[in-house]
Amino acid sequence: MTDFLLANEVAIRLSFFFGIFALMAVWEWFAPRRALSVSKTLRWVNNLGLVFLNSFILRLLFPAAAVGMAAFAQQQGWGIFNYYSVPDALAIIVAVIIMDFVIYLQHVMVHAVPLLWRLHRVHHADLDYDVTTGARFHPLEIILSMLIKFATILLLGPSVVAVIIFEVTLNAMAMFNHGNVGLPNGLDKWLRFFVVTPDMHRVHHSIEDDEANSNFGFNLSCWDRLFGTYREQPRAGHQGMTIGIRNFRQPKQVLWITGLLSLPFMGKLSGYVINRREWHDE
Ligand SMILES: [Zn+2]
Ligand SMILES: [Zn+2]
């Protein structure tokens, strides 16, 4: 099983990526939640261009990727799950949940540390919110994420199966909850008890600081509820809210791939963004 997964890791991930992407693209086409403010073609060419660049850089720097690290940890007997014998199914479930918690913490961190916020701004500066936003990250943030993932795997010792399940789920959920789509109210409310929905994560892309510093989760919704960062809806509603960052709205900077790559190096270093969770009417 492990050998099969290792040998076909790329194929498995790519088929899930293209499958879910196509599904979301069709859904957005037929039932968009909001009207886009810039041309879809232009956004997709640039956002997806960045995604391809990131995949290329990752393959170049870390050819064995996270699954390779999990196999290595297993060989060495490193990490909690390689140290203690835990039933396979339980080990997979717990490992996936812990890795999701680490992703939540990492997301809070990139908002809290000014230097890291510069990188993460690339994800937030998108003027619209759709399936391509979900994979739009600066290459340096992608590398940082991979290093954090490696460290987590070395300490935790999840199986190759657990890592693949986690990566495929995270990727699929990121595309789902960045979708320019909406679920019926009742379904959204019910689903939110367990996982992050498009409406829940859209709040996080608001131009308002306090809303952007909410709903950090990508998969399970429990982390935001547990740590007090949960926010139900945007004040202006999903149609009325503004997506993006206040001082970065020129298309050349936030739309074109050249602008996205240089975005972290623009502007002065400002204070801790995460402390601005209060909202005052000006
Ligand atoms: Zn964020
Ligand atoms: Zn996002």
Side-chain angles (χ1 to χ4, degrees), residues 19-279:
I20 310 276
F21 187 91
L23 211 74
M24 294 309 297
V26 171
W27 189 356
E28 286 180 344
W29 181 268
F30 284 105
R33 184 82 159 110
R34 295 162 52 90
L36 296 181
S37 60
V38 268
S39 134
K40 191 172 192 152
T41 317
L42 210 55
R43 292 190 59 248
W44 279 33
V45 166
N46 286 285
N47 285 0
L48 293 176
L50 187 59
V51 175
F52 283 117
L53 176 69
N54 286 338
S55 317
F56 178 72
I57 293 173
L58 273 187
R59 279 282 140 191
L60 209 67
L61 288 179
F62 313 108
V67 283
M69 193 55 97
F72 173 74
Q74 200 162 22
Q75 277 165 15
Q76 304 293 319
W78 291 352
I80 298 167
F81 287 112
N82 291 317
Y83 205 79
Y84 298 100
S85 73
V86 183
D88 280 356
L90 182 70
I92 290 173
I93 295 169
V94 175
V96 168
I97 292 174
I98 293 177
M99 286 189 280
D100 188 47
F101 178 49
V102 172
I103 289 281
Y104 168 84
L105 290 178
Q106 180 191 330
H107 192 183
V108 172
M109 179 179 79
V110 296
H111 275 256
V113 180
L115 207 63
L116 300 180
W117 166 243
R118 285 179 168 253
L119 301 179
H120 190 56
R121 275 197 312 218
V122 173
H123 180 62
H124 280 265
D126 204 337
L127 298 172
D128 289 304
Y129 182 87
D130 76 3
V131 60
T132 63
T133 313
R136 180 184 131 132
F137 291 94
H138 195 274
L140 291 174
E141 185 173 5
I142 291 285
I143 294 171
L144 175 77
S145 298
M146 194 48 111
L147 294 175
I148 291 173
K149 209 179 282 173
F150 283 171
T152 310
I153 290 171
L154 290 178
L155 287 172
L156 194 64
S159 61
V160 166
V161 182
V163 170
I164 291 188
I165 291 177
F166 175 70
E167 296 226 288
V168 166
T169 313
L170 179 69
N171 195 243
M173 283 299 287
M175 286 191 278
F176 167 66
N177 57 40
H178 284 90
N180 183 23
V181 297
L183 298 164
N185 274 342
L187 180 63
D188 186 277
K189 226 174 173 158
W190 180 81
L191 210 57
R192 258 187 214 211
F193 279 114
F194 312 99
V195 294
V196 178
T197 63
D199 275 11
M200 181 175 161
H201 190 73
R202 193 177 298 105
V203 178
H204 181 71
H205 281 259
S206 166
I207 197 171
E208 305 290 349
D209 293 327
D210 62 327
E211 291 180 342
N213 284 310
S214 314
N215 301 0
F216 293 95
F218 281 115
N219 292 309
L220 296 171
S221 61
C222 61
W223 310 123
D224 283 299
R225 294 174 201 271
L226 273 172
F227 293 93
T229 51
Y230 177 68
R231 196 171 280 250
E232 188 126 3
Q233 305 293 347
R235 270 182 299 275
H238 288 279
Q239 265 84 28
M241 71 186 287
T242 307
I243 302 278
I245 307 177
R246 206 174 296 281
N247 299 321
F248 294 93
R249 308 201 65 81
Q250 314 83 348
K252 229 181 164 163
Q253 184 76 72
V254 300
L255 189 58
W256 293 96
I257 191 162
T258 42
L260 297 179
L261 289 172
S262 65
L263 192 64
F265 312 102
M266 297 293 156
K268 276 198 241 162
L269 205 60
S270 63
Y272 281 81
V273 276
I274 201 161
N275 288 341
R276 286 187 257 129
R277 293 200 76 238
E278 296 296 316
W279 185 71

